Amino acid sequence: VTGASFVVFNGALKTSSGFLAKSSIVEDGLMVQITREAMEGLRQALRDKKDFRITCGQVDTEDMKEYVDICWVENEEKTNKG
């Protein structure tokens, strides 16, 4: 689990790169590089207020997978006020 001050989603990762997605720590935040298709899925999940999981790692290997989970909380009205 990583805490971050900000998250940047970059939808320019090419499918030919050999990665499903890539995540990296940038200063005190997190940058997640994803494909255009994954970005479309993320945008739709945000619109629909649905949880979304991004699997990071190389396409052709099963070991060393990382996950970036975007989760909605139960009581949204009390979150981020003020």
Side-chain angles (χ1 to χ4, degrees), residues 73-82:
V73 295
E74 289 288 324
N75 192 347
E76 176 177 345
E77 291 86 29
K78 293 183 181 179
T79 306
N80 293 331
K81 287 206 173 178

Side-chain angles (χ1 to χ4, degrees), residues 6-69:
F6 63 91
V7 179
V8 175
F9 294 101
N10 178 342
L13 185 68
K14 305 287 184 210
T15 54
S16 61
S17 70
F19 285 91
L20 297 167
K22 293 166 52 174
S23 65
S24 56
I25 304 287
V26 179
E27 294 182 15
D28 60 340
L30 178 69
M31 180 170 67
V32 184
Q33 297 175 331
I34 57 179
T35 62
R36 179 185 299 173
E37 295 79 18
M39 180 64 87
E40 290 171 8
L42 173 59
R43 286 180 178 154
Q44 189 61 50
L46 292 173
R47 281 187 211 105
D48 297 341
K49 295 185 179 181
K50 301 284 185 186
D51 293 349
F52 191 79
R53 173 173 270 195
I54 299 169
T55 304
C56 301
Q58 293 184 338
V59 173
D60 57 355
T61 183
E62 288 299 317
D63 50 317
M64 293 302 296
K65 297 284 190 221
E66 294 178 357
Y67 302 97
V68 176
D69 290 320

